[in-house]
Amino acid sequence: MWRRGIVVAVLAVLLTLLLSFHSHVPNRIGNLGSLTETFLPWSGLVLPVLLVLAVVRRSATGLIAIVLPFAVWLNLFGGLLTDKEAPGGDLTVLTHNVNAGNLDPDGTARDLVVAHADIVALEELPESQAPRYAHDLAAAYPYHSVQGTVGLWSRYPMHAVRPVDIRMGWTRAMRATVTTPHGPVAVYVAHLPSVRVTFDAGFTAGQRDRAADALGRAIADEPLHSVVLLGDLNGTMNDRSLAAVTSQMRSTQGAAGNGMGFSWPASFPMARIDQIMVKGIEPRSSWTLPRTGSDHLPVAARLQLP
């Protein structure tokens, strides 16, 4: 009973090491560290497989060894499985990558309106479709601005609207001051460059990482106390390469969500790359919305302003 299942025990120890020291997986080779951290929550699927193997082998050693990765996984991600939503909040925000190839932009706009958010950010807005979204959202959101391929719609007045340079050569980020009934809020909308997993180059994320650094500097220099970031960051909160942003802001899903909140791909969500992050604001709840005509799910949050 003790000698059987040594392979299972070794696999459990290796998984424990990966979970415990994922930040030490090097990025020099194909950004392997970022790729690992993006899908790290899914490592939990290995645990029931190891458990079944240990039971089949009737291995006490294997069963004891599985306790190690299970405990570490719960420490890392167990908090995301609980419902941390709280009542209250005075500002609802929503962000959605509407997908440039969306075949039903009017339907997508209608789906967003019925969510009754106070502020809506859209990413991957084709120039040809931006007027349609503006028309469909106009009744609910009298204030809006489109900068490049990102846009912001608001029930409240906006000013100091400007593009944010994230070192891409064209505009995929913007900033605006939204004058809410509870005071001004700096709202950033960003769509960081896409990443690809390729055989010869691994996780090709160099341009995204440089854009994240530039966005992080812009947010760090923001003079307003209350800051909201809405957008498709093409990365998860675990991805070390987004540290310039994630180190100074809180994820609403992590702080006040219920579950993992995966948003992409919409057909079978595997990662939360669409983010709502805040600074100087208390998240009260965070959730994903039903699928639209996009390949991303919309995500929303209810915030308590100071």
Side-chain angles (χ1 to χ4, degrees):
M1 182 175 62
W2 292 100
R3 293 179 180 178
R4 289 193 296 265
I6 297 300
V7 173
V8 174
V10 169
L11 292 175
V13 171
L14 291 176
L15 180 58
T16 302
L17 293 173
L18 176 64
L19 289 167
S20 301
F21 302 103
H22 61 86
S23 61
H24 296 282
V25 178
N27 253 347
R28 292 187 300 273
I29 305 173
N31 282 288
L32 184 60
S34 289
L35 178 60
T36 300
E37 289 164 338
T38 296
F39 297 103
L40 196 62
W42 290 94
S43 63
L45 294 179
V46 179
L47 295 173
V49 176
L50 294 178
L51 178 61
V52 170
L53 291 175
V55 170
V56 170
R57 291 287 294 158
R58 291 183 294 175
S59 167
T61 302
L63 289 172
I64 293 175
I66 291 170
V67 174
L68 296 174
F70 182 73
V72 176
W73 191 92
L74 281 181
N75 181 61
L76 290 173
F77 304 111
L80 294 175
L81 301 179
T82 60
D83 186 354
K84 299 175 290 299
E85 295 179 325
D90 42 40
L91 183 71
T92 301
V93 298
L94 183 154
T95 182
H96 189 29
N97 179 324
V98 295
N99 185 5
N102 192 328
L103 299 179
D104 185 19
D106 297 317
T108 296
R110 288 193 297 270
D111 291 339
L112 299 180
V113 168
V114 299
H116 301 296
D118 300 305
I119 295 173
V120 174
L122 302 183
E123 303 86 47
E124 205 170 302
L125 271 174
E127 183 178 358
S128 61
Q129 292 185 0
R132 297 178 66 178
Y133 283 102
H135 175 269
D136 293 339
L137 297 173
Y141 301 98
Y143 308 97
H144 92 279
S145 175
V146 174
Q147 303 285 326
T149 61
V150 296
L152 186 64
W153 279 258
S154 173
R155 298 187 190 277
Y156 308 122
M158 303 192 308
H159 65 277
V161 180
R162 58 174 174 81
V164 175
D165 182 10
I166 56 173
R167 301 173 58 188
M168 291 190 61
W170 70 95
T171 302
R172 284 184 30 160
M174 63 178 290
R175 180 255 183 226
T177 297
V178 178
T179 306
T180 77
H182 301 274
V185 178
V187 180
Y188 285 78
V189 184
H191 183 197
L192 298 190
S194 300
V195 297
R196 297 288 186 269
V197 181
T198 61
F199 178 77
D200 57 342
F203 198 51
T204 56
Q207 190 181 32
R208 183 212 55 182
D209 298 347
R210 291 188 293 272
D213 291 342
L215 178 62
R217 286 193 295 272
I219 293 173
D221 293 337
E222 171 58 51
L224 289 183
H225 175 266
S226 301
V227 185
V228 178
L229 170 61
L230 306 167
D232 174 6
L233 302 190
N234 271 307
T236 69
M237 293 296 295
N238 299 313
D239 190 338
R240 76 192 73 167
S241 296
L242 301 184
V245 176
T246 58
S247 62
Q248 58 178 319
M249 306 190 80
R250 299 175 68 193
S251 162
T252 59
Q253 185 67 25
N258 181 9
M260 295 289 187
F262 294 152
S263 63
W264 177 88
S267 57
F268 187 82
M270 297 181 63
R272 184 180 179 88
I273 63 175
D274 302 277
Q275 306 290 354
I276 299 176
M277 304 179 68
V278 297
K279 182 165 66 172
I281 296 173
E282 186 64 28
R284 305 302 292 172
S285 58
S286 187
W287 63 96
T288 58
L289 282 74
R291 185 178 182 180
T292 68
S294 172
D295 57 342
H296 292 243
L297 296 180
V299 298
R302 186 78 171 156
L303 311 175
Q304 182 72 49
L305 299 181

